[in-house]
Amino acid sequence: MTPGLSAGAEGRSALDVLVVGAGPAGSAAATLLARAGYAVAAVDRAAFPRDKACSEYMSPETVRLLDRLGVVPALEAAGAAAPDGTVVTAARGSRLHGRFVLAGAPPFRPTGLAVSRRVLDHALVLAARDAGARVLERTAVEELVYDRGAVAGAVVRDAGGARRVIRARLTIGADGLRSLVARRVGRRRYGRPRRLAFVAHMDGVVGMGDSAELHVGRGAYAGLNSIGGGLTNVALVVSTALAARARGRVEAFFLERLGRFPGVHERVSAGAFTRPVLATGPFAAWSGRVVADGAALVGDAADFFDPFTGEGIHSALRGAMLLADAAGEALADGGPVTARRLGGYRRARRAAFSGKWAVERLIGYGMLSPALFDRAVGRLGRRAGMADTLIGVTGDFVPARRVLNPVFLARMIL
Ligand SMILES: Cc1cc2nc3c(=O)[nH]c(=O)nc-3n(C[C@H](O)[C@H](O)[C@H](O)COP(=O)(O)OP(=O)(O)OC[C@H]3O[C@@H](n4cnc5c(N)ncnc54)[C@H](O)[C@@H]3O)c2cc1C
């Protein structure tokens, strides 16, 4: 079904669902709701394929969700790499190596996927179109429209500057970290730590193995991840205060700061940038409310803590799946899509993500103390199976309680 778009602010909604943002969260929500037979349009201010600052690492559990969306063959055909886990090196040299296959629960497959967001996000947009959703590129949402206090669609502006209203029974905010929809309906809060990320694609980085790498320094960390085709994704995350020194000299700042990570600098300086360094942040954004009358939030628009534990793509896809289930029911009888009728989505998110949120914060705040962090990484690296368990938990296929229990936590520190 190809939905029509209402041209004016008047009249009944021609659409069931308007999705704002066609990144992983938005495209996945559009695909699933269109597959369920609803009239769906997604708008994105970008034109796909487009780049996105991201380390581009996905666990086997994320691959399971991508498989449900039908895009894995396209990613593999594009030359995606297949990471088998992660190596973490702490500031004083402690090291852990966690592998998916040893994590204590069977992963969907032995390896994850790592591929440029140009490829991933484009494949997800094509899947949404194949499912029957209309995807409008170079079309930005400028404001929401309301009907008796409920969200009823949005004012969009196309590439030619023309504005119009698109009305829908449900408006999904999947517009990322700086979400306009979340600022309007989500009681948006920003917290600590205040960090910015710089992300490069480089050719010729030496010594890359089959696992992704995280290198933690004082107040900063770096990630190295093979993304196929001989390219390495190199990410640097620093405090917002330090990031101010990058102004006007991003590549020089990037290489200088990587120089502070033993075992990274020589390997990276052998390489060459293949696209401009992208910057993004700050993170730690949280929507106190993910449903409102006529609206719901998903992906980074709902919450995003910090890139260190990765898996934002997993949260975006899983959140979209939970939302599609709840929204499908709320839309089914043709009545208004109220916050109350979407309440199942809020509860499902809490059940699915609360353990992971706690683990992310445990790691994120633990990193603020380099001595403690080094000690924990050392313990996890030496004690059989602990690093693998942690990689399974951060990879979303081992329950968080395997880490969030007194025995594991004591063995990690003592
Ligand atoms: C440095 C860094 C590294 C990361 N590394 C990883 C990793 O290795 N693995 C992982 O799983 N996750 C990682 N993440 C997290 C991951 O990138 C995000 O969680 C994920 O992209 C969220 O998807 P999304 O669809 O919610 O938002 P996005 O991917 O940001 O998509 C939002 C879309 O909305 C569009 N948009 C925004 N505003 C408007 C508007 N007003 N009108 C129309 N369109 C709009 C944008 O153009 C964009 O296409 C990382 C994040 C950062 C910052």
Side-chain angles (χ1 to χ4, degrees):
M1 167 188 338
T2 302
L5 298 180
S6 68
E10 309 300 322
R12 253 183 120 233
S13 302
L15 280 176
D16 293 310
V17 184
L18 170 64
V19 184
V20 184
S27 287
T31 299
L32 297 169
L33 286 162
R35 279 185 191 168
Y38 293 106
V40 181
V43 297
D44 200 296
R45 64 179 168 209
F48 293 85
R50 58 111 176 84
D51 282 301
K52 154 89 175 79
C54 178
S55 293
E56 302 172 326
Y57 161 98
M58 294 177 283
S59 73
E61 191 59 20
T62 309
V63 182
R64 182 200 299 277
L65 306 184
L66 294 170
D67 186 57
R68 207 176 135 191
L69 294 164
V71 299
V72 174
L75 306 182
E76 289 183 329
D84 64 2
T86 302
V87 179
V88 180
T89 308
R92 297 178 184 179
S94 296
R95 190 171 174 277
L96 68 80
H97 190 176
R99 290 181 191 82
F100 300 130
V101 287
L102 302 174
F108 175 66
R109 57 182 228 172
T111 53
L113 276 176
V115 68
S116 163
R117 291 289 297 268
R118 285 185 81 76
V119 174
L120 173 70
D121 292 24
H122 193 212
L124 289 168
V125 164
L126 295 179
R129 285 198 173 121
D130 276 354
R134 187 146 173 213
V135 183
L136 305 175
E137 302 176 51
R138 293 197 179 91
T139 303
V141 164
E142 293 196 330
E143 200 41 88
L144 299 182
V145 295
Y146 300 84
D147 195 353
R148 277 165 284 172
V151 177
V155 179
V156 303
R157 186 183 166 107
D158 68 21
R163 282 198 182 86
R164 67 188 162 124
V165 171
I166 300 180
R167 298 181 76 85
R169 294 173 61 208
L170 172 65
T171 300
I172 294 179
D175 44 345
L177 206 53
R178 310 254 84 78
S179 168
L180 178 140
V181 185
R183 276 181 276 132
R184 295 295 181 269
V185 304
R187 299 191 187 128
R188 196 74 164 156
R189 286 173 299 176
Y190 295 89
R192 295 198 172 276
R194 304 283 286 169
R195 293 180 176 137
L196 260 79
F198 298 88
V199 185
H201 280 180
M202 300 186 81
D203 208 357
V205 173
V206 294
M208 292 303 297
D210 293 330
S211 294
E213 299 175 30
L214 284 164
H215 300 261
V216 181
R218 291 194 157 272
Y221 61 86
L224 268 61
N225 184 30
S226 294
I227 55 168
L231 291 182
T232 303
N233 177 303
V234 184
L236 170 74
V237 179
V238 298
S239 67
T240 43
L242 192 59
R245 296 194 211 162
R247 199 160 293 134
R249 50 186 295 278
V250 171
E251 288 184 4
F253 172 86
F254 186 78
L255 291 173
E256 240 166 67
R257 285 285 142 185
L258 287 175
R260 297 175 177 241
F261 295 89
V264 172
H265 186 243
E266 320 77 59
R267 295 164 58 204
V268 166
S269 47
F273 294 105
T274 60
R275 73 167 191 203
V277 176
L278 305 177
T280 184
F283 323 112
W286 187 269
S287 293
R289 180 161 94 155
V290 293
V291 294
D293 289 342
L297 302 172
V298 66
D300 285 1
D303 68 88
F304 183 69
F305 179 59
D306 191 85
F308 189 80
T309 30
E311 294 293 285
I313 299 166
H314 178 272
S315 303
L317 300 178
R318 183 85 201 282
M321 288 172 185
L322 300 174
L323 176 57
D325 288 345
E329 283 176 27
L331 287 158
D333 69 359
V337 182
T338 59
R340 197 177 60 75
R341 302 189 73 189
L342 291 168
Y345 169 58
R346 183 174 41 77
R347 291 188 291 278
R349 283 181 64 83
R350 192 157 286 280
F353 298 137
S354 56
K356 182 70 186 296
W357 290 332
V359 172
E360 280 176 352
R361 277 148 185 79
L362 181 75
I363 296 173
Y365 296 125
M367 282 169 66
L368 298 175
S369 164
L372 180 71
F373 192 78
D374 199 275
R375 185 184 175 94
V377 168
R379 299 285 189 282
L380 290 166
R382 282 195 299 277
R383 296 185 168 164
M386 289 184 79
D388 304 309
T389 303
L390 183 63
I391 259 43
V393 169
T394 57
D396 294 292
F397 63 96
V398 172
R401 63 174 182 279
R402 300 259 181 98
V403 165
L404 298 175
N405 68 74
V407 175
F408 191 97
L409 295 173
R411 292 190 71 211
M412 191 170 87
I413 308 285
L414 303 175

